[in-house]
Amino acid sequence: MDVTLPHLEDEMADKPTVGQAEVSYALLEYTATFEKPIIEAAAVPAVLVSAVLDALERWGYTYEGVELKTQTEKLTDYSIVFRRSKPATPPQNLVLSLDRLVLTAENPEWTEAADIAAEIAAALDAIRNAGRTDIQSQQVTIGMHIQVGAGARKDVTTPLLSPLAFELLDGDVKFPGIILIREKSTIVIDASVAFANALFVRISRQHAPELPPERLAEVLRNDEEQLFKILNLEIAL
């Protein structure tokens, strides 16, 4: 006995098939801007270097990965670079300037989210104490090159634009992309020039200074999940 309802069959037929995709490369960037520049602490770089290395030793940061860029005529060019050396992959760097801390991580996995959040928290605590400053704002940015498994990449993004948008200019549409700017967040979806049949997506969001790093990770994960839902894609395992 067939108990399938006709209207359900129609809905299943109209529902587009979820496409398979692969993130070929990703770069995570976390930026904390300080309430005031840490000029006094930077006068003796060893104080900052020692404080940060002590805080990040468990994540593989050693003095071998430290680079001082302190001989400069402009204070805005002053920085101390900490490169994770054990393990060296996936690459992670912290750049400490007078007015901000920037952490970058290449191809981060969600299994590493708790570790990266704890790493950021430890670095901020060390800088607060050694630099005698506090955090004014935070920003998290993720850039991803997403290769589409089947079909053309422009078919993935075409539904994002209204038909009216395609009346602009003339000629064949090679790729319809978008830039969406909200009050404290931005998303860019463009054609990747680094990977074949791939999208380049950049999500950036500003956060309040008191929000803990683990909460920032949760927000980013929600943003990514919403992205793939809207694009009707899922990451191939």
Side-chain angles (χ1 to χ4, degrees), residues 65-211:
V66 177
E67 179 181 350
L68 299 178
K69 297 183 178 181
T70 57
Q71 302 302 316
T72 173
E73 295 181 355
K74 297 177 63 177
L75 287 178
T76 52
D77 294 335
Y78 181 108
S79 65
I80 304 172
V81 181
F82 300 85
R83 293 186 174 86
R84 189 171 71 168
S85 51
K86 298 177 181 179
T89 55
Q92 285 187 23
N93 298 332
L94 285 100
V95 178
L96 176 58
S97 303
L98 296 183
D99 64 341
R100 70 191 58 210
L101 172 72
V102 178
L103 176 141
T104 58
E106 292 187 41
N107 296 317
E109 300 286 345
W110 279 112
T111 54
E112 304 172 297
D115 248 8
I116 294 176
E119 180 182 326
I120 291 172
L124 292 178
D125 284 344
I127 293 166
R128 284 190 186 98
N129 293 329
R132 297 182 181 181
T133 190
D134 216 329
I135 307 305
Q136 184 179 62
S137 64
Q138 302 181 93
Q139 180 171 295
V140 176
T141 300
I142 184 78
M144 298 179 287
H145 293 268
I146 305 170
Q147 282 188 292
V148 179
R153 61 186 177 183
K154 72 176 183 179
D155 294 338
V156 175
T157 57
T158 292
L160 300 179
L161 276 70
S162 72
L164 186 62
F166 292 97
E167 295 183 16
L168 295 168
L169 304 179
D170 54 12
D172 293 337
V173 176
K174 293 185 177 180
F175 183 85
I178 68 163
I179 300 176
L180 178 63
I181 302 174
R182 292 188 180 273
E183 184 178 1
K184 293 187 178 181
S185 59
T186 303
I187 184 167
V188 176
I189 303 178
D190 200 353
S192 169
V193 297
F195 296 91
N197 203 36
L199 318 174
F200 172 73
V201 177
R202 186 176 185 269
I203 301 172
S204 183
R205 185 181 287 275
Q206 298 175 15
H207 297 277
E210 66 274 9
L211 214 61

Side-chain angles (χ1 to χ4, degrees), residues 36-52:
K36 64 176 184 177
I38 52 174
I39 296 175
E40 294 85 354
V44 185
V47 174
L48 288 172
V49 172
S50 179
V52 174

